[in-house]
Each structure stands twice: as C-alpha cells, then as structure tokens.
Amino acid sequence: MLVISVTALFAPASPAQAASPYGTKAVAVAASKKGAPYVYGATGPREFDCSGLTLYAFRKAGRPLPRTADAQYESTQHISRSQRTPGDLVFFPNGGTMGHVGIYAGQDKIWHAPKPGTRVRLERIWTDSVHYSRAN
C-alpha cells in the first residue's frame, strides 16, 4: 500500500526553491527589450550590455542590482541548477570572473545581451559551465 502525505504534496517550497518575487517581472522587462542593440557599458533603456540588461530589468522589477556581472553574482543568493526558476540569474564564468550574465526564462533559455554586434535575445543556454543565483 502506497501512502503519500498530503502535507508533502502541498507544502510550500523552501526559500531556496521559491522563485524570487522580482524574477517574473524581470523576465518580462528583459523580454520587452528584445532587439535592443548591445553596447558595451550601456544600462538602457534602449541599449544594453549583459549586466546592464540584468541591472535594468531588476531595477524595473523593484530589486536594485550592482553594475557588473561579478558584483551581481556576489550580491545574490547562489542556488543549484535544480533550484532554478524563471527570473533567476545565469552567470558564465571566464577565468576568475563572471564574464557574462543573463536572466533565466525557463526551458534552458535566457534573455541576454550577448556581445557587440548582436541584440537582446532569448537563447538556449549553450554550456553546462554556468552558475545560478537568485535576487531575493
């Protein structure tokens, strides 16, 4: 006989598994910037670099972030891949720093401003060498 606890089925997620209250709005803000050109050092509202897009999206969502990818990583709650939810930040290390950042959109995709000559877009995460964090 299989016994399943109703409490376990409907218990709230632990804090590390609960989505950021800012995440859903940040995803929507980033999506609204689809097609905006990448410009190094730009923080919006019409041009962005990678951390400028995350800074802008989270500021509009009500959660200020620092300017750089490294500082954003250090100022947010680090989580595992299995805990990620839409609105979490996805960091791409480059040597000893975080070289790139995007906003997790679900289904292994991120909103990001990739590099000079490109535009803000939704793209599949192309590597397993990433770190996740949550801006609570």
Side-chain angles (χ1 to χ4, degrees), residues 16-129:
Q17 293 173 326
S20 162
Y22 308 102
T24 301
K25 185 160 185 184
V27 170
V29 171
S32 77
K33 297 303 174 180
K34 179 181 179 179
Y38 178 102
V39 174
Y40 182 79
T43 60
R46 292 176 191 84
E47 301 170 328
F48 301 92
D49 67 7
C50 68
S51 58
L53 178 64
T54 55
L55 177 146
Y56 180 85
F58 276 88
R59 182 175 51 213
K60 289 290 185 182
R63 171 46 160 98
L65 290 176
R67 173 64 187 99
T68 66
D70 267 338
Q72 289 176 8
Y73 185 69
E74 291 307 318
S75 72
T76 54
Q77 176 190 3
H78 303 172
I79 59 171
S80 69
R81 182 182 194 281
S82 66
Q83 294 171 314
R84 70 187 178 172
T85 60
D88 288 333
L89 293 164
V90 183
F91 294 89
F92 298 78
N94 184 9
T97 66
M98 293 301 168
H100 187 64
V101 61
I103 301 173
Y104 187 64
Q107 300 180 340
D108 280 332
K109 294 181 180 178
I110 58 169
W111 282 105
H112 69 138
K115 60 186 177 183
T118 64
R119 297 180 175 272
V120 172
R121 65 185 182 215
L122 181 66
E123 186 170 12
R124 180 165 291 285
I125 298 170
W126 56 91
T127 179
D128 289 331
S129 298

